[in-house]
Amino acid sequence: MVLVHGAPDRSRSFRRVVGLLGDLDVVTYDRRGYGESLDARPATSLDDHVRDLVAVVEVELVGSAAARPVTLVGHSFGCNVVVATAIARPDLIASIGVWELPIPWVEWWPTPAFRDGLVPIAQAADADQLGEDFARNNLRPGTWDGLAPERQRQLRVEGRAFQADIRSITGDPYDITELRTPIVLACGSTTTTGHREAAHILAGMLDAPLMDVEGAGHFGPANHPEDFAELVRRAVALAAA
């Protein structure tokens, strides 16, 4: 199974989750423009991410174990890559799991303020500055100035991929009702950006199981790795059902 990280983020955010899944064959990768894939050209659309994930599945899993079912689990923006891939290639994907899937383009998204807040990110004139600003806002006060110059450069450059990712979900990249792959959803009880409410709506719309994790927020892999690992196991179990 493959874990797909959010934006801006990288696969190392799953390290505690992977440590809890030693009995599973888990693959992680840095999406284009982040971490080890920093030098890759940012995606021009969600389709680029789908092609990348299909390549990971075909090379890492299908190629080494023919006919084995593949499960994808995503966090935040990575959920969009997972869902879009399952819609595009249902022949490869047996089941999926999503932790707070953001689909702000749907008319029923619960918090218009979240959707509206994506616009200045998508339209920012300086993507490198966007990367720095995001990092400064999410690090402890004063932390940025103590980072090594190379680390600062990486976070700035990742702003380009972050902006590209946000642009890809300000349109209408896929229709969630076209999903036919078994799915399990998860959300945190403390999330206030509409993701939790949306997860409940989607669970009813797709007739899918839902984990509403008490005390958790949006950043499940980092802050609630045990619960994210449970999401993974439930998604894998769907493949065997």
Side-chain angles (χ1 to χ4, degrees), residues 107-191:
E107 61 181 13
W108 51 261
W109 184 263
T111 52
F114 172 75
R115 178 173 55 234
D116 296 343
L118 299 180
V119 175
I121 298 174
Q123 296 180 349
D126 187 338
D128 285 22
Q129 188 61 50
L130 175 67
E132 177 178 336
D133 292 345
F134 188 91
R136 284 182 179 273
N137 290 336
N138 287 275
L139 293 171
R140 295 186 183 90
T143 301
W144 174 269
D145 294 331
L147 295 177
E150 180 58 28
R151 178 60 173 156
Q152 291 182 344
R153 186 193 77 84
Q154 177 185 357
L155 292 170
R156 289 191 187 100
V157 173
E158 286 183 344
R160 305 171 194 176
F162 178 41
Q163 183 176 61
D165 288 345
I166 296 305
R167 284 176 174 171
S168 75
I169 60 170
T170 55
D172 189 5
Y174 62 82
D175 182 351
I176 188 68
T177 65
E178 294 180 356
L179 180 68
R180 299 292 180 267
T181 303
I183 180 175
V184 56
L185 300 102
C187 61
S189 68
T190 67
T191 301

Side-chain angles (χ1 to χ4, degrees), residues 98 100-101 103 108-110 185-191 194-214:
V98 294
E100 299 201 349
L101 164 68
I103 51 173
W108 51 261
W109 184 263
L185 300 102
C187 61
S189 68
T190 67
T191 301
H195 292 79
R196 184 186 185 215
E197 296 91 333
H200 281 261
I201 293 171
L202 283 168
M205 181 185 301
L206 301 174
D207 191 23
L210 170 68
M211 293 174 54
D212 192 334
V213 182
E214 184 64 31

Side-chain angles (χ1 to χ4, degrees), residues 69-102:
V70 177
T71 294
L72 308 177
V73 178
H75 169 239
S76 192
F77 176 85
C79 299
N80 285 299
V81 181
V82 164
V83 172
T85 301
I87 291 173
R89 294 297 307 270
D91 57 311
L92 287 179
I93 313 305
S95 62
I96 63 175
V98 294
W99 184 288
E100 299 201 349
L101 164 68

